C-alpha cells in the first residue's frame, strides 16, 4: 500500500489491546476503525467540554458534511501542500452494459477504475474549510469579527498506518476565528493556553510546541521551515504510544490566506485574518485511555468529574 | 452534470427559503449543504428521540466513520444494484514532479485525474454496512440475536439534485436487528408501526407503503418488482415539496443476504437474518420545517414538547 507506515511494537500492542477491549473495531483497512460504546462516550463527553467553552464565548454553531466542492480545494492551494493526504470522490458515469462490466470486475476484485470519473467533490481536508465561504456569503464581518463552531466533524487524511493514533478518517473538533489580525492572534494564543489547561485538567501530560504542517516533498520542507519561523502553528502534544508524544491539538494562524481567497472583509473593509484550533478527538481519547487505563470506571475521580459532570 | 435532477418550482422555492433563513448553507455543489444552528438543533433532538427508544430496547451503540473498505463493497453486490449512487475514494500516488504537475492543473481547474488512483476505500453507502462484519467477528450470536445502534452517521448517494430533500451526503439514523428470521421480521414490523406513531406524534402527515430500492437500469426494474412482491422494503412518506410525498424512513428486511455474506450465525448455528431501519434525518427536519414553519419557536406545543422535553 502506498505510503503505509508500520506501527512501532508498542503502537501495535496498544492497537491489539484496544481491539480486544472492544474500544476499536477493525475494518480491514488500516486507520479506519469502528468505535465501541465506551470509546464514543468518552469522545462525546470531551466534545461537550469544548462546546461549553465555545458557547461561553458566543461562538455560532454551524455544521458541514465531510465532503467539499472540488473547485474549492483546487483554488485553496491544498493540492500543492498536501497532495499525498487528499481523497477525491469518483463516481460512475456510463451505460447499463458498462455498469454490468464494472460489477463483474468488482465482484472478482479486479480493476474497475476505467468506469469511474472524477466528481465535483473531495473528502473534507479540515473541518474549517467550508466555514470560510459560508461566512464570505454574508458580506462584511460585524465589528469584532466572528467565532464559528463547526463542531466535531470528520476529516480525511490519506495516511494508512498501523498506529492507532493515525487514522484516515477522524473527528476534528474545530473552532474558527475570523476578524482583524490582532483579534485573531490574541484569540489563538488565548485558546492555546486554555486548551493546555483543559487537557492537563484531564490528567494528560500535555505540553505545547511550535509546529509545522506535514507539507509534501522537498519544497514542502521549506514551507514547513517558514511556518515554524513565523510561529504560525502550535501543537499540544501528549504521550500515546511510540517513541515521541503525539499531537492532540493544533492552533493555526492563516494570516490573510482564507480571507483573501474567499473575499472576507472586516467591518472597516480590510481583508480578514483567520485562525483555527483543532482537537484530534480520537487521539485525545487514546491518550486518556493510555494514561488512565482502558476502563473509565477506574479513572481518577477528578478526570471523571470533569468529563461526566454535565 | 451526470444524472442531475432539476428541482420542481416548489422544491426550488423551498430551497431558497431555507437558505434565506440560514437553515441550509449552499456549498456550490447541489445536494451538499452546511446546516445552521436551528437546523442542526432539530436534527439532534430528533436523534435523541430515536436514541431513547433504542436504549429502551437494549440496543448496543457502535459508531463507524463514513468510509468503507472497497473490498467489502465489491463483495456485497452493491455495485450491481446501485453503480450510479456509489462514491469511490481516489488518492495521489506519484513523484514530487507529478505532484507539481497535478497542483498546476488543479489550480487552473483543468483535468488532474491522471495522477489519481483508486484507493481501498469507498464512501459509506448505508450506515448498517460496517455493522455486519463487526458482529461476525464476535462469533455466533447470543440467543435472541442482537440489536445494534450505529447512530446517525453520514451516508453518500451520488444523486445531485436541486431538490433540498435529495442530498448527496446525509445523516441516516439506523437501527439493525440480527437474529433468527421470525425475530427479525417481528422487530421490523414493530418498528414500522412505532416509527409511524413517532413521526405522526411530531405532527407529520406520515403514512407507510411497500417500496423498492432505486435499482439501476433495466435489470434493476425486475429486482425492484421482486422486492415489492416479497414486501422486503417499507417506507414512511411525508409531504416536503414536490408533487409526491417523500420517503423519510425505510425498513429493509435483507433475509439472509448479509448473514451469509459475512458468515453470521445464530446461537443454534443457522445463518442469521438481518433487517435495518433508517430515518433520513435531514428529510425529517425538512418535513417538520415545511409542516410547522421555518421558526421552531412557533411550532405547536406538543411537537416542541416531544422534541425538546429531554
Amino acid at each position: 500500500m502506498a505510503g503505509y507506515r508500520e506501527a512501532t511494537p508498542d503502537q501495535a500492542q496498544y492497537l491489539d489491546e484496544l481491539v480486544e477491549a472492544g474500544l476499536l473495531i477493525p475494518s480491514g483497512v488500516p486507520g479506519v476503525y469502528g468505535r465501541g460504546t465506551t470509546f464514543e462516550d468518552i469522545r462525546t463527553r470531551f466534545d461537550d467540554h469544548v462546546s461549553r467553552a465555545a458557547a461561553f464565548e458566543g461562538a455560532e454553531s454551524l455544521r458541514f458534511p465531510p465532503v467539499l466542492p472540488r473547485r474549492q480545494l483546487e483554488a485553496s492551494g491544498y493540492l500543492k501542500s498536501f497532495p499525498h493526504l487528499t481523497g477525491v470522490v469518483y463516481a460512475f458515469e456510463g451505460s447499463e452494459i458498462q455498469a454490468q462490466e464494472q460489477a463483474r470486475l468488482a465482484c472478482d476484485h479486479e480493476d474497475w477504475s476505467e468506469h469511474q470519473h472524477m466528481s465535483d467533490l473531495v473528502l473534507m481536508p479540515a473541518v474549517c474549510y467550508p466555514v470560510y465561504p459560508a461566512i464570505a456569503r454574508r458580506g462584511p464581518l460585524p465589528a469584532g469579527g466572528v467565532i464559528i463552531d463547526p463542531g466535531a466533524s470528520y476529516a480525511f487524511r490519506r495516511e494508512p498506518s498501523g498506529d492507532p493514533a493515525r487514522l484516515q478518517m477522524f473527528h476534528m473538533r474545530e473552532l474558527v476565528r475570523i476578524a482583524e489580525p490582532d483579534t485573531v492572534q490574541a484569540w489563538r494564543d488565548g485558546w492555546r493556553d486554555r486548551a493546555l489547561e483543559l487537557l492537563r485538567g484531564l490528567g494528560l501530560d500535555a505540553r505545547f510546541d511550535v509546529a509545522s504542517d506535514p507539507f509534501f516533498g522537498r519544497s514542502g520542507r521549506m514551507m514547513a521551515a517558514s511556518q515554524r519561523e513565523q510561529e504560525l502553528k502550535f501543537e499540544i502534544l501528549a504521550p500515546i504510544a511510540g517513541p515521541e508524544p503525539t499531537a492532540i491539538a493544533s492552533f493555526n494562524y492563516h494570516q490573510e490566506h482564507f480571507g483573501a481567497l474567499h473575499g472576507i472583509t472586516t467591518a472597516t473593509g480590510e481583508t480578514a485574518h483567520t485562525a483555527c484550533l483543532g482537537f484530534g478527538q480520537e487521539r485525545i481519547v487514546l491518550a486518556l485511555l493510555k494514561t488512565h487505563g482502558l476502563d473509565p470506571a477506574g479513572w481518577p475521580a477528578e478526570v471523571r468529574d470533569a468529563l461526566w459532570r454535565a
Side-chain angles (χ1 to χ4, degrees), chain A residues 15 40 53 59 79 82 120 125 143 173 180 212 220 232 247 260 264 281 303:
Chain A
L15 176 56
E40 197 64 7
L79 284 159
F82 312 112
D120 52 2
R173 207 310 171 197
E180 296 78 13
S212 59
L232 296 178
I264 310 175
Q281 288 195 326
V303 178

Side-chain angles (χ1 to χ4, degrees), chain A residues 208-250:
Chain A
F208 83 82
D209 203 354
V210 176
S212 59
D213 286 310
F215 294 106
F216 183 72
R218 256 172 317 191
S219 59
R221 283 198 286 281
M222 286 168 56
M223 291 162 83
S226 162
Q227 191 184 30
R228 275 179 183 278
E229 195 177 85
Q230 296 179 76
E231 299 199 348
L232 296 178
K233 186 183 185 80
F234 295 106
E235 284 178 344
I236 295 180
L237 304 126
I240 301 180
E244 300 290 337
T246 303
I248 58 174
S250 72

Side-chain angles (χ1 to χ4, degrees), chain A residues 61-234:
Chain A
S61 180
L62 300 176
R63 293 293 183 272
F64 299 92
V67 289
L68 190 76
R70 170 163 58 86
R71 220 180 149 80
Q72 186 183 337
L73 192 84
E74 290 170 347
S76 74
Y78 188 86
L79 284 159
K80 186 158 180 272
S81 301
F82 312 112
H84 54 310
L85 303 182
T86 308
V88 186
V89 180
Y90 275 56
F92 175 76
E93 289 175 21
S95 67
E96 200 154 344
I97 288 169
Q98 287 169 319
Q100 283 166 11
E101 170 69 3
Q102 173 178 272
R104 189 191 63 73
L105 289 166
C107 186
D108 295 340
H109 301 302
E110 289 177 16
D111 181 4
W112 45 285
S113 60
E114 70 171 298
H115 300 292
Q116 294 287 312
H117 302 270
M118 189 182 276
S119 80
D120 52 2
L121 294 169
V122 298
L123 291 178
M124 191 61 74
V127 170
C128 64
Y129 270 65
V131 170
Y132 307 112
I135 298 305
R137 282 176 53 84
R138 297 180 180 177
L141 296 174
V146 295
I147 306 175
I148 302 297
D149 173 5
S153 194
Y154 272 109
F156 181 82
R157 301 277 164 89
R158 183 64 182 162
E159 296 188 283
S161 166
D163 176 5
R166 193 168 291 281
L167 301 181
Q168 296 199 57
M169 200 134 204
F170 57 97
H171 287 94
M172 190 186 282
R173 207 310 171 197
E174 285 215 32
L175 285 174
V176 184
R177 190 75 171 100
I178 309 177
E180 296 78 13
D182 289 353
T183 307
V184 166
Q185 287 173 58
W187 178 86
R188 184 193 63 157
D189 293 348
W191 255 104
R192 180 194 63 197
D193 299 340
R194 289 166 68 187
L196 193 63
E197 193 181 333
L198 190 161
L199 292 163
R200 284 181 176 162
L202 300 177
L204 297 180
D205 180 17
R207 63 176 175 81
F208 83 82
D209 203 354
V210 176
S212 59
D213 286 310
F215 294 106
F216 183 72
R218 256 172 317 191
S219 59
R221 283 198 286 281
M222 286 168 56
M223 291 162 83
S226 162
Q227 191 184 30
R228 275 179 183 278
E229 195 177 85
Q230 296 179 76
E231 299 199 348
L232 296 178
K233 186 183 185 80
F234 295 106

Side-chain angles (χ1 to χ4, degrees), chain A residues 41-55 152 173 198 281 306-310:
Chain A
D41 187 32
I42 303 167
R43 189 186 71 73
T44 51
R45 292 293 173 164
F46 176 80
D47 194 44
D48 292 345
H49 217 58
V50 180
S51 293
R52 282 191 293 273
R173 207 310 171 197
L198 190 161
Q281 288 195 326
L307 285 174
W308 277 273
R309 73 185 165 196

